[in-house]
Structure formats: structure tokens, C-alpha cells
Amino acid sequence: MIDLSGKVALVTGGSRGIGLAISEALAGCGAAVAINYKENDEAAGQAAGKLEGMGARCALARGDVSDAEDVQRVVDEALEAFGKIDILVNNAGFNRDALILRMSLDDWDEVIDTNLKSAFLCAKAVLRTMMRQHWGRIINIGSVSGLAGNAGQANYAAAKAGLIGFTKAVAREMGSRSITANLVAPGLVITELTKDIPRRLVEEALQRIVLGRLGKPEDVGAAVAFLASDEASYITGQVLVVDGGLGM
Ligand code: NDP
């Protein structure tokens, strides 16, 4: 069984959807969890209640991960609450889909900033503390869109593909400090982010999913908990695809 007792995790976008399942998975393995979120205080309060109900230590840190000052404050708050950060999960993300010819520069910039720049800002803010303790886990949440591309998601696919290169660069820079960096690429998981995908497209995806069902947030949470563990200490710079065989 994965044992993360004594470890502290910061999960960006950890209050809802996949991020909440990641927070629950890490807490279930014994980690204290600092949950970052952008603005939905109610969802964040409920997430904290769930973790505390599991007997986990939990702190909330509101802030926009695409903003450097907010990120520093979020990391400072997590450090204040728990004294260290061992595990960073860069999960916060959103999409603003449009075909390239109709995609505005703002749509491009906001999606790149929230999904990609954020990972750089958060990693930069936590790496010193991980280097001091000679132990760390950086786990970035990508997407199958970043592997195969997706019509209507040029911004999102570019951001998620960029995260793969970023993950490998972090792995190379930090390997000598026993800090690993990996990326988990989920397939289709129904959350707020994906709830408006037309039923026809969901059915089409289902036809291609080898395991015959959509992904659950917990599927991603379990993969993240494994990569955060000591059992995964010899795995770095990798992409772990959690898509039921969709993109195989
Ligand atoms: P949700 O929309 O359900 O949840 C998003 C979470 O991120 C919320 O906690 C939200 O906080 C937070 N968030 C959004 N923007 C910011 C920001 N700028 N700063 C801080 N927090 C922010 O998304 P999902 O759970 O579906 O997605 C989670 C991750 O998984 C994303 O990176 C997504 O790209 C990826 N993914 C999702 C897939 C899916 O099928 N759902 C498939 C592949 C990848 P608040 O509630 O306060 O707004």
C-alpha cells in the first residue's frame, strides 16, 4: 500500500473534478494536502471538509496559478501551514476551444498561461524547498490532446504538449537531488471542464476506449498517488497515459 504519511502535497486546482480526486488520493495515503483553487470558495470549503472527514490535514490556498505573485503567496501559505512541500501536482487548467481561424489572441494566451506558465511558476516556487530536503515529486497533469492534438484545441494541445517538454527538463535538472518529474495524461473524464462536450463526441470517444468506459477522476488520482510514492522513485521524465486505451 502506498504510504505518504509525513509528506505534504500542494495540489493546484485541487478543489473540484480531477484535482479533488488527486487531493483525496494523496490524503488517503496519509499526506497533508494544501488545496489551491482560483475563486470558487464554496467548492474549496466542501473539498476541505471531505479531506478533514477522512482525518487528513488540509489547508486552502486561493490564488490564480497564472499569476506569479499569487503563486508565491499560495506556496508561502502552504509552507506556513505545513512547514514544507514534498509533492507538487500542477493540475489547475482550463480550456477555451475554437478553431484556429476563430481563436482570439486572448483565448490563446489565457489557456497557455493557466495550463503551462503556471507549471513553471509553481515549480520554480517550490523547488528550493525540495532541493533542501533532497526529495521531491513534481507531477504535471497533461492530456491526450497534448499527445495527439485535437481540432478546436490548438491552444490547449500546445500547452499540454509544452508541459511534456517542461516535465522532461525539470527531470533532467533535478535528478541529482532525488526530485522526480512526471506527467499524467488523462483521457476523457466528465467534470465541469468537459460536461458540455456534445453527446455524439462522447459516444465516438467511447467507441475508441479499449476499456469501454469514460475515465473517472479517481483513475487519475491513483496514478498521481503512485508517482508521488517512494515506490516510483526510479521513474522520472515519463508520460503516464490514463485513458483506458483511447489513444493507443
Ligand atoms: P475542472 O474545471 O473540473 O476543475 C478545475 C480546477 O482548477 C478547479 O479547482 C479550479 O478552481 C481550478 N482552476 C482553474 N483555473 C485556475 C487558476 N487560474 N488558478 C488556480 N486554480 C484554477 O477541471 P478538471 O478537473 O476536468 O481538469 C483538471 C486537469 O485535468 C486540467 O489540467 C485539465 O486540463 C486536465 N484534463 C482533464 C480532462 C477531462 O476530461 N476532464 C482530460 C485531460 C486532462 P475554481 O473552482 O476556484 O475555479
Side-chain angles (χ1 to χ4, degrees):
M1 204 189 112
I2 294 169
D3 182 8
L4 298 175
S5 45
K7 299 281 194 254
V8 176
L10 169 60
V11 182
T12 70
S15 60
R16 290 194 280 120
I18 291 172
L20 174 57
I22 292 170
S23 300
E24 289 180 288
L26 297 173
C29 295
V33 183
I35 291 180
N36 155 260
Y37 65 103
K38 186 177 177 188
E39 59 200 359
N40 186 338
D41 295 316
E42 197 185 330
Q46 286 170 4
K50 269 193 167 177
L51 263 64
E52 280 158 9
M54 296 166 64
R57 291 196 300 153
C58 174
L60 292 175
R62 179 176 163 147
D64 180 347
V65 288
S66 67
D67 181 281
E69 281 179 22
D70 273 21
V71 166
Q72 194 54 58
R73 190 175 40 71
V74 163
V75 167
D76 288 346
E77 283 175 19
L79 287 171
E80 204 169 295
F82 299 124
K84 61 174 186 163
I85 295 171
D86 303 290
I87 301 158
L88 167 67
V89 185
N90 284 313
N91 162 81
F94 90 119
N95 56 8
R96 187 157 301 155
D97 297 352
L99 296 170
I100 293 169
L101 292 180
R102 292 196 195 129
M103 187 177 285
S104 70
L105 188 55
D106 280 350
D107 291 346
W108 175 269
D109 285 342
E110 280 181 46
V111 168
I112 297 286
D113 287 356
T114 304
N115 292 277
L116 179 59
K117 185 173 96 177
S118 59
F120 161 71
L121 292 174
C122 293
K124 193 172 159 137
V126 304
L127 274 170
R128 264 198 191 86
T129 161
M130 289 183 180
M131 285 165 74
R132 270 197 296 273
Q133 64 204 23
H134 280 268
W135 199 99
R137 297 281 186 268
I138 301 214
I139 301 163
N140 297 318
I141 305 302
S143 165
V144 289
S145 287
L147 298 169
N150 199 14
Q153 290 198 314
N155 48 2
Y156 184 77
K160 296 300 193 184
L163 271 179
I164 296 175
F166 177 69
T167 301
K168 295 184 183 206
V170 174
R172 287 189 188 280
E173 286 190 25
M174 293 294 148
S176 63
R177 312 280 184 141
S178 300
I179 298 168
T180 66
N182 291 289
L183 179 138
V184 174
L188 185 54
V189 181
I190 300 302
T191 63
E192 279 295 309
L193 189 81
T194 44
K195 69 178 181 1
D196 295 330
I197 294 180
R199 194 62 219 170
R200 178 181 57 81
L201 295 181
V202 173
E203 292 297 337
E204 270 175 35
L206 267 171
Q207 295 298 319
R208 291 188 286 129
I209 297 174
V210 176
L211 292 177
R213 66 163 174 87
L214 298 174
K216 294 182 283 190
E218 304 85 79
D219 296 323
V220 183
V224 170
F226 167 64
L227 288 171
S229 71
D230 275 328
E231 285 78 358
S233 62
Y234 201 53
I235 301 174
T236 198
Q238 300 304 303
V239 173
L240 178 53
V241 181
V242 180
D243 70 347
L246 170 68
M248 188 168 60

